[in-house]
């Protein structure tokens, strides 16, 4: 407990030192205020957004898109990762196609999804799924393949069915890999949907940032980035709690 408190205090001190240095550099003119807004101005803008409630419709749309992209991409990635890891022949057959799809630039796909699904949420969700899926897929696939073969063989000798083997051996062993990919995927899901909103949307934090950038409002740009960062941090804490609960048997 004491170590956690010490770590948290260290993180807070680093954040305070960084923001204070930034504030001083802009205030003294060492950094141009036109390009680098002051943290105090950014905080004031966020406070105004919260008081007026203008940020909530945009934030809720972005979080909805990110949540759908995360859930669909992670679910598909876990299922496909398990399936191909347990079927080496099928995995070898699909391998070149998976690598080709993973190599496609996501920024190029964004305008195509806009054409297919329009300016609504589903074009952003589709872009987010293409990012999340491959992160989760490769980690799940590797996690299942790295399970100790002697443990698998012993379970089969004891008469375990494929479902029992998956539930009691493969899933617990691969959970560390899966959660590692989920931590990474949260941020990438938000990035993907914000890029989609930036390219074409009528709502969302990405749209808000795009509008602020269009009028050279650096305070609005940084404020939007800060709101997104805080949201990702909170979601990440939730995933950490879920991970500790599911992996409590390891402690």
């Amino acid at each position: 407990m004491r170590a956690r408190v010490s770590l948290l205090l260290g993180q807070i001190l680093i954040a305070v030192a960084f923001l204070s240095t930034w504030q001083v550099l802009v205030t003294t003119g060492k950094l141009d205020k036109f390009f680098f807004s002051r943290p105090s101005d950014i905080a004031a803008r966020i406070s105004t957004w919260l008081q007026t409630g203008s940020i909530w419709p945009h934030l809720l749309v972005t979080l909805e898109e990110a949540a759908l992209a995360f859930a669909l991409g992670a679910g598909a990635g876990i299922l496909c990762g398990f399936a191909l890891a347990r079927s080496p022949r099928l995995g070898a057959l699909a391998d070149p196609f998976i690598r080709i799809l993973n190599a496609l630039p996501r920024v190029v796909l964004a305008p195509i999804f806009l054409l297919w699904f329009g300016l609504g949420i589903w074009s952003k969700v589709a872009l987010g799924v293409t990012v999340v899926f491959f992160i989760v897929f490769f980690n799940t696939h590797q996690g299942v393949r790295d399970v100790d073969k002697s443990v698998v063989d012993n379970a089969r000798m004891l008469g375990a069915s494929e479902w029992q083997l998956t539930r009691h051996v493969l899933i617990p062993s691969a959970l560390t890999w899966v959660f590692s990919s989920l931590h990474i995927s949260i941020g990438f899901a938000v990035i993907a949907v914000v890029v989609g909103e930036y390219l074409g949307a009528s709502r969302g934090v990405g749209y808000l940032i795009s509008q602020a950038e269009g009028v050279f409002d650096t305070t609005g740009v940084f404020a939007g980035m800060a709101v997104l960062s805080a949201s990702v941090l909170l979601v990440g804490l939730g995933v950490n709690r879920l991970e500790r609960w599911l992996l409590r048997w390891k402690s």
Side-chain angles (χ1 to χ4, degrees):
M1 183 64 182
R2 187 174 298 175
R4 286 186 184 178
V5 173
S6 177
L7 178 63
L8 180 60
L9 287 175
Q11 292 170 339
I12 292 173
L13 287 174
I14 291 172
V16 170
F18 173 75
L19 293 174
S20 300
T21 304
W22 181 359
Q23 178 80 15
V24 170
L25 289 175
V26 176
T27 302
T28 57
K30 294 295 194 317
L31 291 176
D32 193 334
K33 188 178 179 181
F34 182 79
F35 298 105
F36 299 92
S37 181
R38 294 183 301 180
S40 57
D41 295 334
I42 296 168
R45 179 67 61 86
I46 294 173
S47 177
T48 301
W49 284 350
L50 294 174
Q51 289 174 8
T52 61
S54 60
I55 188 63
W56 296 117
H58 297 287
L59 182 59
L60 289 175
V61 167
T62 298
L63 291 179
E64 180 185 5
E65 293 166 348
L68 286 170
F70 179 75
L72 295 174
I78 291 171
L79 290 175
C80 291
F82 264 97
L84 296 187
R86 295 302 297 157
S87 178
R89 183 174 297 179
L90 182 61
L93 184 66
D95 181 70
F97 303 103
I98 291 174
R99 294 186 183 279
I100 290 171
L101 291 173
N102 185 43
L104 292 175
R106 306 305 189 272
V107 178
V108 174
L109 292 175
I112 296 175
F113 289 144
L114 284 172
L115 290 174
W116 289 353
F117 302 110
L119 293 176
I121 68 170
W122 292 108
S123 57
K124 289 75 178 176
V125 171
L127 183 63
V129 167
T130 63
V131 175
V132 173
F133 170 82
F134 291 104
I135 296 172
V136 177
F137 168 80
F138 286 119
N139 277 271
T140 302
H141 187 267
Q142 190 62 42
V144 175
R145 293 188 63 182
D146 278 357
V147 176
D148 193 337
K149 291 185 178 180
S150 62
V151 176
V152 175
D153 293 338
N154 288 335
R156 289 198 180 281
M157 287 176 61
L158 292 171
S161 64
E162 185 65 26
W163 164 245
Q164 291 172 326
L165 181 66
T166 300
R167 180 183 176 186
H168 298 292
V169 178
L170 299 179
I171 291 178
S173 299
L175 272 180
T176 302
W177 284 84
V178 172
F179 272 104
S180 175
S181 67
L182 294 182
H183 286 298
I184 300 170
S185 298
I186 293 170
F188 277 97
V190 173
I191 291 171
V193 300
V194 168
V195 168
E197 291 171 351
Y198 191 86
L199 293 176
S202 57
R203 288 183 300 172
V205 179
Y207 166 78
L208 203 63
I209 292 173
S210 176
Q211 293 297 303
E213 189 180 76
V215 295
F216 304 103
D217 178 13
T218 53
T219 301
V221 173
F222 280 109
M225 292 165 58
V227 169
L228 284 175
S229 300
S231 301
V232 171
L233 181 61
L234 290 175
V235 174
L237 291 174
V239 173
N240 278 335
R241 287 184 174 274
L242 178 62
E243 180 181 10
R244 285 199 298 268
W245 182 73
L246 289 175
L247 297 178
R248 62 191 184 279
W249 55 273
K250 279 191 170 184
S251 56

